[in-house]
Amino acid sequence: MVQCNASHILVGSMAEAHELIERIKSGEDFEALARKHSICPSGKDGGKLGWFGKGQMVPPFEKAAFAGKEGEVVGPVKTQFGWHVIRINGKK
């Protein structure tokens, strides 16, 4: 079974997600930004979601997470929860 380990930052707008991606690309710490900006309960843990398999996340999130490469930041990805900035931590 293929699994993915990811962290994410969930925000309310595409503009905010794009801004966070730019900040991460310019060297800001993903976990610190997640703690400060994410509206998901995982934000307090730096956005960590841990390992998950196919069928455990909502389809747009899952598709983006499994398509990304390890170490990559992908997004913004829109789901019914809001806009996600996703970091791929690992695959197995």
Side-chain angles (χ1 to χ4, degrees), residues 16-33:
E16 191 176 0
H18 275 298
E19 181 193 324
L20 289 168
I21 290 168
E22 289 308 310
R23 290 173 68 178
I24 292 161
K25 282 181 182 170
S26 41
E28 286 195 54
D29 183 63
F30 188 97
E31 284 85 7
L33 289 170

Side-chain angles (χ1 to χ4, degrees), residues 4 11 22-23 31 38 40 45 49 57-58 66-67 76 78 80 83 85:
C4 184
V11 293
E22 289 308 310
R23 290 173 68 178
E31 284 85 7
S38 186
C40 178
D45 192 28
L49 297 172
M57 298 292 180
V58 292
F66 280 96
K78 184 165 180 24
Q80 69 261 44
W83 293 89
V85 175

Side-chain angles (χ1 to χ4, degrees), residues 1-90:
M1 175 200 233
V2 178
Q3 288 196 308
C4 184
N5 183 306
S7 298
H8 79 138
I9 303 171
L10 178 64
V11 293
S13 74
M14 185 168 64
E16 191 176 0
H18 275 298
E19 181 193 324
L20 289 168
I21 290 168
E22 289 308 310
R23 290 173 68 178
I24 292 161
K25 282 181 182 170
S26 41
E28 286 195 54
D29 183 63
F30 188 97
E31 284 85 7
L33 289 170
R35 279 192 275 281
K36 187 171 181 187
H37 298 281
S38 186
I39 56 176
C40 178
S42 69
K44 66 182 178 296
D45 192 28
K48 293 183 183 110
L49 297 172
W51 291 99
F52 55 89
K54 296 210 170 177
Q56 291 185 266
M57 298 292 180
V58 292
F61 186 98
E62 177 182 294
K63 185 177 176 191
F66 280 96
K69 296 178 183 68
E70 191 169 329
E72 192 176 18
V73 173
V74 295
V77 176
K78 184 165 180 24
T79 70
Q80 69 261 44
F81 304 108
W83 293 89
H84 304 262
V85 175
I86 307 166
R87 185 181 65 196
I88 315 305
N89 299 323

